Amino acid sequence: MSSCYPSDLTDAEWKQIEPIFDRFRFDRHDPRDLLNAVFYVLKTGSQWRMIPKGFPPWQTVYYHFRKWRRLNLLQRLCDRVRRAARVAAGRRPSPSAAVIDTQSVDTERQAGPGRGRDPNKQVTGRKRHVIVDTLGFLLAVVVHPANENDSQTAPPVLKQLLGKVPRLKVIFADSGYKGLPGGLVWRCFHWLLSIVEPDEETEGFEPLPKRWVIERTFGWFGGYRRLIRDYEHLPEMSEAMVRAAMIRLMIRRVT
């Protein structure tokens, strides 16, 4: 299928990620078309059943997307593209610093398990618990109920980084992570947890050093209508959508 939507991969972009799909067997459909269909859903917020006829059948697209999530292919693809995007930006493939934070989003009424109410944000839904590098590129994501505390749910997110970021030394966080003992983080992961708090004397809004990059990442999520709310039935599918959105965003930085 020739490219006909702005969300489709260009030839140069597909060339960067095609090797990842070489180990998979596709009898009838081009993996590029399947991936473009996923990006169409992400960008437009379309329902799976309303994927245009120019793409493979929606059941086939959804089947492969779930299979890629189950095989951890989306995470490996995200890591590959992130390293290439960092090199393209003049950075080393592995970051030495990262930022952690959460984003609470509403869920649809038909959403499945893993929902709660965030009393601070007045949101009933789920939290996207995210770690990014200092360019705002995704390192890890865990989706959990919005009523769960940030510091208590941070360890599973941090665990995703083990073995993937050998140069990482410090992780910046806001005051919501004061309940996470910095000494424990150091003993378990050998990373320094640095709490960045706003200056009490500053009036109005002022971006916090090192922490504004993750707010920009949350803003990038807003460019994909499927991520404005959490439309997925399962939290793990929500995580897959976040990874797919970041793959689409970062691949443009490479080419």
Side-chain angles (χ1 to χ4, degrees):
M1 185 186 76
S2 60
S3 178
C4 58
Y5 294 99
S7 57
D8 288 348
L9 292 166
T10 65
D11 291 341
E13 291 169 346
W14 172 244
K15 186 177 180 181
Q16 292 291 328
I17 60 178
E18 184 179 10
I20 290 281
F21 293 90
D22 287 344
R23 57 177 294 187
F24 294 93
R25 180 180 177 182
F26 297 89
D27 295 328
R28 295 181 54 191
H29 300 287
D30 187 340
R32 179 177 177 179
D33 292 343
L34 296 170
L35 199 54
N36 281 339
V38 172
F39 292 150
Y40 177 88
V41 170
L42 265 168
K43 189 64 178 178
T44 65
S46 169
Q47 298 177 6
W48 290 105
R49 295 173 183 269
M50 298 181 69
I51 292 176
K53 291 184 178 180
F55 292 112
W58 76 266
Q59 299 95 327
T60 303
V61 176
Y62 187 61
Y63 165 79
H64 281 91
F65 184 64
R66 290 184 63 186
K67 184 176 72 172
W68 295 341
R69 184 207 65 79
R70 187 174 66 253
L71 297 175
N72 206 36
L73 183 142
L74 292 173
Q75 181 60 61
R76 289 188 282 120
L77 185 57
C78 188
D79 293 339
R80 177 190 180 98
V81 175
R82 184 191 64 250
R83 289 191 292 267
R86 287 183 56 83
V87 171
R91 304 293 186 91
R92 297 179 65 174
S94 176
S96 60
V99 189
I100 185 172
D101 203 356
T102 61
Q103 180 189 42
S104 296
V105 290
D106 291 308
T107 53
E108 288 297 287
R109 290 179 298 174
Q110 65 269 27
R115 302 175 66 198
R117 182 159 182 82
D118 183 344
N120 297 321
K121 304 291 180 63
Q122 299 296 306
V123 169
T124 300
R126 295 177 179 141
K127 277 184 181 179
R128 297 168 181 153
H129 212 142
V130 173
I131 303 179
V132 302
D133 64 11
T134 52
L135 294 177
F137 298 154
L138 185 70
L139 293 170
V141 57
V142 171
V143 175
H144 55 76
N147 61 311
E148 293 184 357
N149 182 269
D150 292 358
S151 60
Q152 293 176 350
T153 51
V157 196
L158 296 170
K159 191 176 179 180
Q160 288 190 4
L161 301 184
L162 287 175
K164 295 197 304 184
V165 280
R167 295 183 63 248
L168 186 62
K169 293 181 174 60
V170 58
I171 298 177
F172 297 98
D174 62 16
S175 57
Y177 293 87
K178 284 186 175 180
L180 180 62
L184 179 64
V185 175
W186 177 258
R187 288 194 301 271
C188 294
F189 304 105
H190 294 287
W191 301 324
L192 175 66
L193 182 67
S194 177
I195 304 297
V196 181
E197 298 188 87
D199 187 350
E200 295 182 356
E201 297 181 358
T202 302
E203 296 182 1
F205 172 77
E206 182 176 348
L208 297 179
K210 304 296 184 182
R211 289 235 339 83
W212 66 270
V213 293
I214 200 167
E215 300 297 339
R216 182 179 62 182
T217 301
F218 292 149
W220 288 341
F221 290 172
Y224 296 87
R225 292 187 179 181
R226 188 80 182 192
L227 297 184
I228 293 178
R229 297 172 66 91
D230 192 333
Y231 293 96
E232 313 311 318
H233 183 70
L234 298 175
E236 52 264 34
M237 292 302 292
S238 299
E239 296 168 5
M241 280 293 181
V242 170
R243 293 187 178 103
M246 287 303 298
I247 290 168
R248 189 66 193 91
L249 185 144
M250 292 187 297
I251 194 67
R252 289 195 174 100
R253 309 299 178 91
V254 179
T255 57

